[in-house]
Structure formats: C-alpha cells, structure tokens
Amino acid sequence: MKILALCGSLRPESSNMSILKTIQTWLPDGVQYEIYDNIGLLPHFDPTFNHEDVPGEVVRFRRLIANADGVIICTPEYVFGLPGSLKNALDWTASSGEFNEKPVAIITASSSGENAHASLKIIMNVLTSHVPDTSTLLISYIRTKINSQSQITDAETIDKLHSVLQSFLQHISGKLPN
Ligand SMILES: Cc1cc2nc3c(=O)[nH]c(=O)nc-3n(C[C@H](O)[C@H](O)[C@H](O)COP(=O)(O)O)c2cc1C
C-alpha cells in the first residue's frame, strides 16, 4: 500500500508536518509513505498549459498522486481559508483528475481551522476523491497540543489521529484488489 502525504504549511517547525511525521511512525509494516515536500516549488496554476508543456514539477506531483493508493492532507488555516500553496497544488489536479475516486484523509490542525477544514472537504468532493467522515479530523488550538520537540502531547488528539488513520487504512484496503 502506498500513501502520499501533503502538508499545507511550508514552515520548518510546522505542527502539521510534525503530525504527518508522527503518523509515519504509526504505520503498519508494508505501507510505503512519502511526504511530498515540494509543494512550495510548484508554479502558480495556469490552465492555459496544455498536456505537453506542463512544468516538470507538476508532472511529478501528479504522478505521485496517481501512483498512491491514498493521500493524507494535513493543513493549517490562513486568513479563514486554505493556504495558497496547498490550494495551488490541488488546482493543478483539477483537469487531469488524479484525485478521482482516490481515498483521501483530511486533517486540519490550526488555531481554529473550521473554515479551511470545511473548504478542503468541498474541494476534495469537487475533485471526486473519496473522503469518509471517519477519515477527517479538525484539531483546533494545535499549538497547545504539541511541544517544542514536535511531539503531540494531547492524549485525546493522539487517540483521534489513530482512529482517523485506522479508518483511512481500512478504506484503502477495501478498495485494493485482493
Ligand atoms: C498570516 C496568518 C494567518 C492566520 N490565519 C489563521 C486563520 O484564519 N485561522 C486559523 O485557525 N489560524 C490562522 N493562523 C494560525 C495558523 O493556523 C497556526 O499558526 C498554525 O499552527 C500554522 O500551522 P503550522 O504549525 O503547521 O505551520 C494564521 C497564521 C498566520 C501566520
């Protein structure tokens, strides 16, 4: 099973990146996991590019999604919405369709995060990915739930993250051929 992880924060000390790295340590054997870390290097989305001249990093990004059995997105909220870099990355997949029927887990870890969480659910629905409610989690007040060593310190948050991961892995397993 191959999982791709996307982080909506470019901050070196990002709590969202810490969550994605923590999840990596919980995965069962046999699950390949890659965090795509070039989201900030993707060019601005421009729909006038046709198939032949799409920038190389976009081609790589699309291929990583296409080859993944599932994608975990973990993001903060900025100014009541999705971070521009994440929205830009998702826009690059709108016409090429890599998220079509792809199992996706959505984790929003932010000060509040309600708007970005709701917005990301709508966007992934429009991109026709599969996002079961049990594979989504909003973590508000994230900075009070993680320490300076990037460890999640809130037991309830750890439990909820385990549940989301469990649900997500089961959802992917149900779609994989035996
Ligand atoms: C310019 C700016 C705007 C922000 N706007 C919001 C916001 O609208 N809602 C919210 O929940 N958090 C907001 N935040 C707080 C971030 O979500 C918070 O710092 C979060 O921890 C960042 O994620 P990271 O630790 O993964 O980088 C904002 C932060 C910055 C720097």
Side-chain angles (χ1 to χ4, degrees), residues 81-132:
L82 274 195
S85 52
L86 176 61
K87 178 66 168 65
N88 180 56
L90 297 174
D91 285 350
W92 275 113
T93 70
S95 55
S96 46
E98 287 78 12
F99 276 108
N100 182 34
E101 296 195 16
K102 188 78 64 186
V104 170
I106 293 176
I107 300 164
T108 308
S110 204
S111 304
S112 158
E114 281 178 31
N115 299 292
H117 198 57
S119 169
L120 187 51
K121 284 183 186 177
I122 292 169
I123 290 166
M124 297 322 295
N125 190 35
V126 170
L127 296 178
T128 60
S129 61
H130 287 175
V131 190

Side-chain angles (χ1 to χ4, degrees), residues 5-79:
L6 305 180
C7 182
S9 172
L10 305 178
R11 261 185 352 112
E13 308 297 318
S14 163
S15 29
N16 283 274
M17 183 58 90
S18 300
I19 290 169
L20 288 175
K21 288 182 174 167
T22 301
I23 286 173
Q24 182 163 22
T25 67
W26 295 342
L27 290 170
D29 289 346
V31 177
Q32 290 178 36
Y33 185 83
E34 179 172 356
I35 301 176
Y36 176 71
D37 57 5
N38 277 357
I39 221 163
L41 298 182
L42 288 168
H44 289 165
F45 173 63
D46 179 348
T48 56
F49 280 108
N50 57 39
H51 286 302
E52 295 82 55
D53 56 10
V54 168
E57 190 55 37
V58 175
V59 173
R60 195 173 93 81
F61 176 62
R62 286 175 171 173
R63 196 174 296 143
L64 283 170
I65 299 168
N67 290 339
D69 297 306
V71 179
I72 301 179
I73 305 175
C74 192
T75 184
E77 173 176 295
Y78 290 143
V79 199

